[in-house]
Amino acid sequence: MKQWSLALCLALALVLTACAGGDSSQNSSAQSPSDASDTSQSDSGAQEAAGLLSSFSTTDLEGNAVDQSILEDYDLTMVNVWATYCTPCLQEMPDLGELASEYEDKGVQILGLVSDVLNSDGTISDSQVETAQEIVEETGASYQHLLPSADLLGLLSQIYGVPTTFFVDSAGNQVGYAYVTAMEREQFVEIIDAALAEVAA
């Protein structure tokens, strides 16, 4: 009975802090883009050598073209991978919206990456984009949100739960670890400050 209770508590904790997987046509799941990952070390190492986001092109929720040059004017970029079905993702977005404004003058930007806006054939779902736009407006998460593209599918294939948050420098190289959980504002502040100190060192 104790083992069953423990398993139930652990499962509930995961549901409350992160959403795992989802429809495979909408959300790839494998591993986090993090040094802490124990699997696929060679793939992860090759990606880090090239820079996690050193070369990519995509569009944002408003249809604007975006590439790696979006990183150049900032010492640190925080990327928050989220999904429209993920309640923990949506709960942390108001704090992220406030932090995006507060940290912009400190050389930090926040980007969202919406993971579940693809149709099964790989095209962008207009209805899912509209849902994401409504969520952004409702939560006050007015920072830029990117859509999946062919260049970002390799990255998304390493994400096994949302929200996942990771950091890159102005050249797209990963800074610190990836965090696969929803966080409180104070946790974000501590992690952002530590990552910013790391790139400044």
Side-chain angles (χ1 to χ4, degrees):
M1 186 68 175
K2 279 187 176 179
Q3 288 179 340
W4 174 255
S5 297
L6 179 60
L8 184 59
C9 288
L10 289 173
L12 183 59
L14 179 62
V15 168
L16 292 176
T17 59
C19 301
D23 184 344
S24 62
S25 68
Q26 297 177 341
N27 185 32
S28 301
S29 59
Q31 68 180 40
S32 164
S34 161
D35 291 336
S37 176
D38 292 328
T39 57
S40 300
Q41 288 287 334
S42 59
D43 292 345
S44 186
Q47 234 179 9
E48 285 171 19
L52 196 62
L53 289 177
S54 61
S55 178
F56 72 93
S57 63
T58 189
T59 56
D60 65 13
L61 270 179
E62 307 307 318
N64 302 306
V66 179
D67 63 22
Q68 67 278 357
S69 65
I70 195 174
L71 309 174
E72 294 172 359
D73 294 332
Y74 295 89
D75 298 323
L76 184 70
T77 295
M78 176 177 143
V79 181
N80 179 256
V81 184
W82 63 282
T84 60
Y85 62 82
C86 174
T87 300
C89 299
L90 278 52
Q91 289 173 337
E92 69 182 8
M93 287 172 74
D95 286 339
L96 293 179
E98 291 176 7
L99 291 170
S101 297
E102 292 173 21
Y103 275 87
E104 189 171 12
D105 293 338
K106 299 178 182 179
V108 179
Q109 74 173 327
I110 296 178
L111 297 175
L113 176 54
V114 195
S115 63
D116 66 331
V117 293
L118 293 179
N119 293 313
S120 58
D121 63 359
T123 59
I124 298 291
S125 165
D126 292 337
S127 64
Q128 278 295 94
V129 167
E130 287 177 18
T131 299
Q133 289 170 332
E134 290 168 7
I135 289 169
V136 166
E137 187 174 345
E138 289 169 7
T139 60
S142 57
Y143 47 90
Q144 195 166 21
H145 296 265
L146 309 182
L147 301 179
S149 67
D151 292 342
L152 296 176
L153 290 180
L155 170 65
L156 285 173
S157 73
Q158 298 179 64
I159 304 296
Y160 62 84
V162 286
T164 289
T165 302
F166 63 92
F167 298 85
V168 294
D169 63 16
S170 59
N173 300 305
Q174 186 171 344
V175 177
Y177 297 100
Y179 301 87
V180 190
T181 185
M183 289 184 276
E184 300 292 331
R185 177 189 174 88
E186 295 76 19
Q187 293 173 292
F188 277 122
V189 168
E190 184 178 337
I191 291 167
I192 293 169
D193 288 346
L196 191 55
E198 185 175 335
V199 295

